[in-house]
Amino acid sequence: MVEVEGAKALIPACAGIAEDGMVINTVSESVLSARHNIVNLLLSNGEHNCLSCEKSGECSLQSVAYELGIETPAFIMESMNKATVDDSSVMIVRDNRKCILCRRCVTACNEIVCNDVLSVGFRGSESTIICDNNKPMGESTCVQCGHCVQVCPVGALVNKKSIGKARSWETKKVRTTCPYCGVGCQLYLHMKGDEIVKVTGVEDGFPNKGRLCVKGRYGYDFIYSKERLTTPLIKENGVFREASWDEALDLVAAKFKAILEQGGPDAVGGISCARSSNEDSYQMQKLFRAAFKSANIDHCARVCHAPTVAGLITSFGTGGMTNSIAEMANTNCLFVIGSNMSEAHPVAATFVKNGKKNGAKLIVVDPRKTHLADRADEFAQIKVGSDVAFLNGLMNVLITEDLYDKDFVADKCDNFEALKAKVLEYPPKRVSEISGVSEEQIIAIARMLAANKPGMAMYTLGITEHTCGTNNVMSVANLQMLLGNIGKENAGVNPLRGQNNVQGACDMGALPNVYHGYQSVTDPAAKAKFEQAWKVDGLPDKLGLMIPDMISGLKTKAVKGLYIFGENIVATEPDIAHVIECLEAAEFVVVNEIFLNETTKYADVVLPGAAWGEDEGTYTNCERRISLVRKVKDAPGQAKPDWWIFKEIAKRFGQNWEANSGRELWDNEIAPLAPFFTGITYDRIQGDGMQWPCNCSVDPGTPILHLDGNFTRGKGHLMALDWTPPAEVPDAEYPFTLSTGRRLYHYHTRTQTGRAKGLNELLPEEYADISEADAKRLGIAHGEMIIVRSRRGSVFVKAQVSDRIPEGLVWMAIHFFENNANWLTTRSSDTVTKTPEYKACAVAIEKIS
């Protein structure tokens, strides 16, 4: 409570609006008296036992009672509210006996993360915080993001995993970056010794502003798993045995030397890791180029956002997200296509929901009715693989109704006449037939986009993982250029990257066509620069192999040695049976990993790497923000940082690399050798990080690319593009379309989330999502086991009958190996980047009789 001069009564500071000229007294006699009475009332009603409370030492009620000199409540009230403890949810304990009805949790749930679960139920002295319509939290729609716990000032909401681990005064906070999706949330790790006791979001930190998802807040303890690899392993007679580092590294070097001598630099391939640090990926691509003289280096952007890089470089000149996540809350229009953000990028989705609450129009385009679609002004339930046609249809309306930004297009773009001629071939009637979206809705969406500017376009793998993935990306770019939504705040083309450092692995040159900083391997000047910097001769000056060609090359013996760093390719590549067949044919396979997995089974040598939290480094998030990852514990056993492993192998090839830490690698080598990063140093990114490009020490970084329409390539290039159908479409034998993706509670192949306590409880098994109409027609009940089969394989899986799935579609994920969707997926790929078409293949489903 505070006293405002001229006001009739004291007001609550948290609810009062500060105005110019207002005089506020915070410690007057009347204020202190009121506070004393209020705190006494709060203490008298409920069970506030500081001796046993998990919040002791960081409890606001405890602190203010101490400041006011209240040792015990002045009186005790018999509560009319028969509050109980609710421990029904997996991650959170609710103890309404300690609740002071401040409503912070309600505000957090409804106004910040916008999950709309918590509210105040009942009236008067019986008022209490409830979930949904007074359900136990574990039975409610709560997604366990834990933001309510973070804002709770008392012990009414606590993290179940933290109970009994430490008192607040026993811990220290270490800021770091989340190891999950490409949002790059900033975390505080609350450490007791080398144990993470709990995780909270950095309240004022970008990009997440204190928000976390269930994985970021609770998926931290995989690094303590007893299954961690702790020593190098060498396979003999089909069985792994432990080895020293020298023995293992000597063997790796000898084998690769022999392969290179026999087959040349094209006989080896390397797959880097999008979940490890920038410094690690930089070292791996350097190993291949400088030591092996091979350009065959790639990473898993090949199977997700390679079309983003290729498409946006063609359209704009730079292959990155143009704007920043926080802008989503302030724009006038949100165009979300091919992205289930609420599950794949939950924190980014909160900013979209904030934007909707702030008055923005929300347009969602997706084959499934996602959770964001529930909030949309327009939800277009598009047919799988019809994106180019749909986007051409929108542009047809913009041009024929004269709604496009003629000045921007004329001054800042080229090739408009070719684009115009092409999209005029896609009138709404034709597009409706292709996409399944009505003519009326196509016209309405185009008009909404034109009437609400600036607007932001967002997409994920629903755009890129198609045979036309690069064209899809360029079509989104076409739309935003036509609207003039490039080079300004709250606008742009904004691809959300899937893994925590997939942007960074691209930036670091773990690609077959560029050095780090997107410097072309075919550019003689770049080649000369790196030869001088790395003190080598003969760097490869041709494009290397992409991942699909490396894998297939094992079977044909064109590729004899494969080095896999942190990628479980048996589970993540399409057509698992094919991947296994190729690995079985390999002459020599090395894997750097933190756990044994489906891929290490086919390795000849397994090298134990340090995990997140066990080495210093940097990640680059989807908005090009480079942030620090801090070390909080040593790696277990003999496990080593991956940059060290690559350095030691290079040493056995006669090279002496000087850098001996993540900081030294970045400050002394990575940043000075790439203009995009020259102004970024470890000292400059201690807080919120920096967004590239950053060209000098006083450059603040670049939150918005192509400012004022000044594109990196000169003018934005409008591409005239035709729609092409998926490579494999339903037929009489395989009458359904399978599409794949990610679910909220797991990540990738569960390497991390599967070993984090609680997440397996939230999602213990895989499902095949099917429509209510298809389930009824085939006599399949919800939860019943079914067979899903394609031309490549079959899996047994439970059916999840859903009203969010359209008739004819089956949707699955890759989190559980035994019924991984990739037993079914096709190797058909994008014509430019060879990114597989994970989003469309033909399948049949059968009820198990």
Side-chain angles (χ1 to χ4, degrees):
M1 305 300 289
V2 295
E3 184 178 39
V4 177
E5 289 188 9
K8 295 180 180 179
L10 301 180
I11 67 168
C14 61
I17 299 174
E19 299 176 355
D20 287 342
M22 184 182 284
V23 178
I24 305 163
N25 296 308
T26 61
V27 289
S28 66
E29 183 177 343
S30 60
V31 166
L32 293 177
S33 175
R35 287 183 186 163
H36 201 278
N37 290 335
I38 290 166
V39 172
N40 259 314
L41 286 167
L42 292 172
L43 289 170
S44 70
N45 184 20
E47 296 187 17
H48 304 287
N49 188 339
C50 295
L51 293 176
S52 61
C53 183
E54 287 292 322
K55 198 75 172 182
S56 183
E58 56 181 359
C59 170
S60 298
L61 182 60
Q62 184 186 56
S63 297
V64 74
Y66 178 81
E67 292 169 6
L68 293 170
I70 301 174
E71 297 183 7
T72 58
F75 43 86
I76 300 295
M77 295 172 57
E78 183 178 349
S79 177
M80 298 294 291
N81 186 346
K82 306 301 181 183
T84 58
V85 177
D86 175 10
D87 66 353
S88 62
S89 72
V90 174
M91 299 296 190
I92 299 168
V93 176
R94 299 172 63 233
D95 188 351
N96 277 349
R97 300 172 304 173
K98 298 175 182 175
C99 179
I100 60 172
L101 286 175
C102 67
R103 296 169 173 79
R104 287 188 191 178
C105 61
V106 175
T107 300
C109 186
N110 294 282
E111 302 298 327
I112 299 176
V113 297
C114 303
N115 288 329
D116 302 330
V117 178
L118 299 179
S119 61
V120 180
F122 309 106
R123 294 182 178 181
S125 61
E126 294 188 2
S127 295
T128 188
I129 303 299
I130 62 172
C131 298
D132 294 338
N133 294 318
N134 200 25
K135 293 181 179 179
M137 180 175 272
E139 299 174 15
S140 73
T141 56
C142 175
V143 294
Q144 303 283 278
C145 76
H147 202 63
C148 58
V149 180
Q150 181 162 317
V151 302
C152 180
V154 293
L157 290 156
V158 297
N159 297 315
K160 191 176 285 189
K161 293 174 73 163
S162 304
I163 294 174
K165 294 292 182 67
R167 293 297 206 178
S168 61
W169 56 84
E170 297 178 298
T171 65
K172 67 174 183 178
K173 292 195 298 185
V174 179
R175 180 169 175 166
T176 194
T177 305
C178 180
Y180 288 105
C181 81
V183 172
C185 293
Q186 292 300 288
L187 318 176
Y188 278 130
L189 307 182
H190 297 247
M191 305 296 303
K192 182 180 180 181
D194 65 357
E195 182 182 8
I196 301 172
V197 173
K198 69 175 180 179
V199 174
T200 55
V202 179
E203 285 289 352
D204 297 321
F206 285 92
N208 54 309
K209 299 178 74 173
R211 311 160 196 213
L212 299 175
C213 76
V214 62
K215 296 186 290 291
R217 192 179 302 277
Y218 299 117
Y220 55 83
D221 44 338
F222 69 93
I223 61 176
Y224 302 103
S225 171
K226 294 180 180 179
E227 298 177 38
R228 286 289 303 278
L229 289 168
T230 60
T231 187
L233 302 174
I234 293 174
K235 185 179 287 180
E236 288 184 351
N237 300 317
V239 178
F240 284 120
R241 66 166 177 85
E242 294 185 353
S244 68
W245 273 107
D246 280 339
E247 182 186 12
L249 293 170
D250 287 347
L251 176 61
V252 170
K255 285 287 190 179
F256 272 102
K257 284 179 180 177
I259 291 169
L260 289 165
E261 184 176 349
Q262 179 186 4
D266 285 339
V268 298
I271 301 173
S272 193
C273 180
R275 292 184 301 286
S276 194
S277 69
N278 285 319
E279 293 75 9
D280 291 337
S281 275
Y282 172 82
Q283 286 284 81
M284 187 176 190
Q285 64 89 28
K286 182 180 177 183
L287 173 69
F288 267 73
R289 291 184 166 116
F292 299 170
K293 302 299 190 292
S294 174
N296 296 344
I297 181 72
D298 206 354
H299 76 287
C300 75
R302 187 62 50 207
V303 298
C304 59
H305 271 286
T308 287
V309 178
L312 294 186
I313 285 177
T314 302
S315 296
F316 300 157
T318 302
M321 181 171 170
T322 63
N323 290 62
S324 302
I325 290 168
E327 295 172 45
M328 297 173 187
N330 303 310
T331 187
N332 290 326
C333 190
L334 295 147
F335 182 73
V336 181
I337 182 168
S339 176
N340 183 14
M341 291 173 67
S342 297
E343 295 200 56
H345 301 88
V347 172
T350 68
F351 288 92
V352 171
K353 290 182 279 188
N354 293 159
K356 171 63 178 170
K357 279 183 174 290
N358 291 337
K361 297 296 184 182
L362 174 58
I363 301 164
V364 175
V365 183
D366 202 277
R368 295 183 296 158
K369 187 179 181 183
T370 64
H371 291 287
L372 278 184
D374 295 340
R375 301 169 182 266
D377 295 282
E378 292 284 352
F379 167 51
Q381 195 158 23
I382 193 172
K383 290 180 182 178
V384 172
S386 61
D387 304 271
V388 168
F390 177 77
L391 292 164
N392 277 350
L394 296 180
M395 290 185 280
N396 177 291
V397 176
L398 293 174
I399 291 173
T400 57
E401 296 192 5
D402 203 26
L403 299 175
Y404 70 100
D405 189 330
K406 290 180 286 296
D407 290 340
F408 185 89
V409 169
D411 296 341
K412 304 296 183 179
C413 304
D414 61 29
N415 206 41
F416 172 70
E417 291 302 325
L419 173 76
K420 178 180 178 180
K422 179 56 62 181
V423 300
L424 290 179
E425 298 174 14
Y426 289 83
K429 184 176 187 299
R430 182 190 176 197
V431 172
S432 179
E433 293 168 355
I434 295 170
S435 69
V437 181
S438 71
E439 295 179 54
E440 294 76 15
Q441 189 173 29
I442 292 166
I443 294 167
I445 290 173
R447 291 171 178 171
M448 184 175 287
L449 288 166
N452 295 276
K453 295 192 290 185
M456 300 182 77
M458 288 142 282
Y459 68 83
T460 51
L461 305 186
I463 284 292
T464 60
E465 290 180 341
H466 288 280
T467 50
C468 55
T470 301
N471 285 355
N472 284 348
V473 171
M474 293 188 292
S475 290
V476 176
N478 285 344
L479 176 66
Q480 286 294 78
M481 285 189 283
L482 207 59
L483 290 163
N485 278 332
I486 300 292
K488 60 183 68 172
E489 194 173 12
N490 307 325
V493 175
N494 301 284
L496 298 170
R497 295 299 190 113
Q499 297 190 32
N500 53 301
N501 201 39
V502 69
Q503 178 69 57
C506 290
D507 297 347
M508 291 302 106
L511 293 168
N513 61 327
V514 291
Y515 297 105
H516 79 288
Y518 301 96
Q519 300 169 86
S520 175
V521 297
T522 61
D523 179 2
K527 178 176 182 287
K529 178 173 79 170
F530 283 101
E531 285 180 338
Q532 181 179 10
W534 292 345
K535 302 174 183 177
V536 297
D537 295 316
L539 289 179
D541 55 4
K542 65 175 185 177
L543 303 183
L545 297 177
M546 300 177 189
I547 289 176
D549 298 321
M550 293 182 201
I551 294 173
S552 296
L554 294 172
K555 186 177 178 180
T556 65
K557 302 300 181 181
V559 176
K560 298 179 183 298
L562 185 64
Y563 197 150
I564 305 166
F565 165 32
E567 292 296 335
N568 188 4
I569 64 169
V570 171
T572 59
E573 292 292 316
D575 191 359
I576 288 174
H578 168 74
V579 178
I580 291 173
E581 185 180 12
C582 292
L583 285 173
E584 288 176 335
E587 184 173 311
F588 188 66
V589 176
V590 182
V591 177
N592 287 18
E593 257 299 348
I594 61 174
F595 296 104
L596 292 175
N597 59 29
E598 290 80 15
T599 299
T600 59
K601 177 181 177 181
Y602 302 96
D604 296 286
V605 178
V606 178
L607 302 176
W612 167 79
E614 295 171 352
D615 188 38
E616 68 172 354
T618 56
Y619 294 160
T620 307
N621 79 340
C622 61
E623 53 177 18
R624 300 167 283 103
R625 185 184 303 274
I626 300 168
S627 300
L628 284 175
V629 185
R630 291 177 170 88
K631 180 178 178 178
V632 295
K633 66 180 285 288
D634 291 331
Q638 300 178 49
K640 298 286 187 180
D642 292 283
W643 60 260
W644 178 91
I645 298 172
F646 301 132
K647 176 180 177 177
E648 286 295 309
I649 296 171
K651 184 177 179 180
R652 286 159 172 80
F653 276 76
Q655 298 191 14
N656 182 27
W657 296 355
E658 295 178 1
N660 204 38
S661 68
R663 176 186 281 267
E664 289 182 12
L665 275 165
W666 184 276
D667 286 353
N668 300 338
E669 197 165 338
I670 296 172
L673 287 172
F676 274 177
F677 315 128
T678 301
I680 300 175
T681 65
Y682 266 42
D683 285 342
R684 295 191 75 195
I685 57 173
Q686 293 296 311
D688 287 343
M690 299 184 72
Q691 291 167 274
W692 63 257
C694 178
N695 298 318
C696 66
S697 61
V698 295
D699 187 339
T702 310
I704 302 172
L705 290 178
H706 320 299
L707 199 60
D708 300 323
N710 296 312
F711 289 94
T712 307
R713 69 180 301 278
K715 286 192 172 187
H717 186 58
L718 294 162
M719 288 289 291
L721 301 165
D722 261 316
W723 167 74
T724 54
E728 193 172 89
V729 296
D731 57 20
E733 185 177 2
Y734 298 98
F736 291 86
T737 295
L738 171 69
S739 196
T740 70
R742 180 186 297 175
R743 299 192 191 273
L744 173 63
Y745 295 112
H746 280 302
Y747 174 72
H748 209 241
T749 57
R750 296 189 306 124
T751 298
Q752 295 162 209
T753 55
R755 294 173 174 91
K757 183 180 178 182
L759 293 176
N760 278 334
E761 294 178 57
L762 289 165
L763 183 63
E765 59 186 330
E766 186 50 73
Y767 301 93
D769 297 356
I770 63 175
S771 73
E772 293 176 337
D774 289 324
K776 182 178 180 180
R777 179 172 54 83
L778 297 172
I780 296 171
H782 180 77
E784 188 173 1
M785 290 297 295
I786 61 173
I787 299 173
V788 184
R789 58 181 175 86
S790 74
R791 291 176 173 85
R792 289 151 295 280
S794 62
V795 297
F796 292 82
V797 64
K798 282 186 178 179
Q800 181 163 267
V801 180
S802 172
D803 62 358
R804 296 185 177 277
I805 303 294
E807 193 171 355
L809 182 68
V810 179
W811 195 92
M812 294 176 63
I814 67 167
H815 303 310
F816 295 84
F817 186 67
E818 59 274 14
N819 41 31
N820 186 320
N822 283 331
W823 289 106
L824 311 170
T825 47
T826 174
R827 282 181 281 142
S828 300
S829 61
D830 177 52
T831 55
V832 176
T833 65
K834 299 190 178 181
T835 297
E837 191 160 48
Y838 291 106
K839 292 296 183 275
C841 74
V843 297
I845 58 176
E846 302 171 14
K847 179 175 178 172
I848 299 176
S849 56

